[in-house]
């Protein structure tokens, strides 16, 4: 009886030792794996940034005026590679901000120190819509944000509007009061977009293509393209030191 008990104790003890060795081995594997992963992560150097943020919060720190070439760098604006581009029909840069707005909006821009507006008229990829899009150059971001809030009640109340820019025969519809508008801000700039149908028919409130045009012009081209480039500056690559021979 004692011999059988000793035999079972020996077996159980052996199994316990194997389990302990397995656990220790597993723990050792994890520790080695973690160490290797740590060495690998320490050896990985993140890529150096190619641009850095530039302050465009006021005209004091960002004094350079906008140009037509900056806002409309070519006679075509490609937004979607699977669609034809927008055709730029006419561009204009002027220090008369009132020429691109009327009523209380024009007065608001005068109050906020607007000294420039750059705008252009484009034809949509389908040719069915005319678009005037542009940027007002205000004194600071605080004023731009204030204008952003104040414009909606002015437009809704019929007390002022953004003016479309006619670009020759067949584009008169963009200058009509029935055109739809959208606007946004970035830094000390206020962006706007006016849309009309080429055939002068009304644009429905839920017209998906008109909404897409607003997004293309305001968010992608002007805010995320033109002003994004103004709000960043390229970082020069560090010069590598060469050994002295």
């Amino acid at each position: 009886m004692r011999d059988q008990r000793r035999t079972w104790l020996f077996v159980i003890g052996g199994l316990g030792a194997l389990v302990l060795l397995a656990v220790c081995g597993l723990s050792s594997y994890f520790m080695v794996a973690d160490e290797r992963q740590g060495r690998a992560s320490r050896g990985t150097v993140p890529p150096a940034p190619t641009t850095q943020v530039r302050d465009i919060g006021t005209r004091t720190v960002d004094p350079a005026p906008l140009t037509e070439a900056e806002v409309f760098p070519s006679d075509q604006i490609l937004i979607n590679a699977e669609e034809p581009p927008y055709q730029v029909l006419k561009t204009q840069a002027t220090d008369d901000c009132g020429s691109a707005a009327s009523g209380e909006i024009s007065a608001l821009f005068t109050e906020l120190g607007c000294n420039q507006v750059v705008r252009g008229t484009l034809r949509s990829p389908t040719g069915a819509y005319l678009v005037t899009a542009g940027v007002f150059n205000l004194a600071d971001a605080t004023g731009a944000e204030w204008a952003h809030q104040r414009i909606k009640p002015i437009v809704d109340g019929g007390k002022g509007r953004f003016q479309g820019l006619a670009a020759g025969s067949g584009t008169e519809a963009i200058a009509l009061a029935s055109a739809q508008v959208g606007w946004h801000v970035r830094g000390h700039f206020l962006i706007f977009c006016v849309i009309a149908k080429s055939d002068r028919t009304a644009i429905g409130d839920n017209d998906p293509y008109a909404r897409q045009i607003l997004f293309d012009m305001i968010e992608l081209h002007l805010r995320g393209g033109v002003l994004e480039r103004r709000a960043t500056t390229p970082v020069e690559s560090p010069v590598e030191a060469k050994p002295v021979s």
Side-chain angles (χ1 to χ4, degrees):
M1 196 68 175
R2 288 182 179 178
D3 292 340
Q4 290 180 350
R5 184 178 299 173
R6 287 177 182 173
T7 302
W8 277 109
L9 288 175
F10 176 77
V11 171
I12 293 172
L15 288 174
L18 288 174
V19 171
L20 181 61
L21 286 173
V23 171
C24 291
L26 188 61
S27 299
S28 298
Y29 170 77
F30 283 142
M31 285 189 289
V32 171
D34 288 343
E35 184 181 352
R36 288 175 179 170
Q37 186 176 3
R39 286 201 300 267
S41 63
R42 287 194 297 271
T44 303
V45 179
T50 57
T51 60
Q52 63 184 13
V53 177
R54 180 174 173 271
D55 187 4
I56 60 169
T58 71
R59 211 160 48 219
T60 301
V61 297
D62 178 42
L66 292 164
T67 66
E68 293 175 66
E70 180 182 2
V71 181
F72 300 101
S74 71
D75 58 3
Q76 295 183 338
I77 303 297
L78 182 64
I79 300 294
N80 186 342
E82 297 179 355
E83 294 182 354
Y86 287 83
Q87 299 295 328
V88 179
L89 306 178
K90 182 178 181 178
T91 63
Q92 179 191 69
T94 176
D95 58 4
D96 180 12
C97 295
S99 64
S102 66
E104 292 186 9
I105 295 179
S106 177
L108 179 62
F109 287 150
T110 299
E111 175 188 338
L112 296 174
C114 182
N115 72 346
Q116 179 193 32
V117 59
V118 178
R119 57 180 176 159
T121 292
L122 308 89
R123 195 179 299 279
S124 71
T126 64
Y129 297 79
L130 293 166
V131 185
T132 292
V135 185
F136 289 92
N137 191 338
L138 306 181
D140 53 43
T142 301
E145 288 289 350
W146 173 241
H148 183 259
Q149 297 174 25
R150 287 287 304 125
I151 288 170
K152 188 177 188 308
I154 293 174
V155 172
D156 290 346
K159 297 179 180 180
R161 67 187 184 95
F162 293 101
Q163 303 275 55
L165 175 67
S169 179
T171 67
E172 296 84 359
I174 195 63
L176 299 178
S178 59
Q180 287 199 359
V181 300
W183 59 94
H184 207 336
V185 296
R186 181 159 186 180
H188 64 97
F189 300 102
L190 187 136
I191 307 153
F192 77 100
C193 181
V194 180
I195 308 172
K197 283 191 173 181
S198 301
D199 62 5
R200 300 194 182 192
T201 58
I203 298 176
D205 292 339
N206 297 316
D207 185 322
Y209 204 84
R211 291 177 180 272
Q212 186 62 52
I213 291 172
L214 288 175
F215 185 78
D216 287 350
M217 288 293 104
I218 294 176
E219 293 296 336
L220 298 182
H221 175 56
L222 294 174
R223 196 166 186 269
V226 174
L227 296 182
E228 172 67 17
R229 288 189 290 273
R230 181 167 275 247
T232 56
T233 184
V235 176
E236 294 184 2
S237 301
V239 179
E240 294 184 3
K242 295 182 179 180
V244 179
S245 57

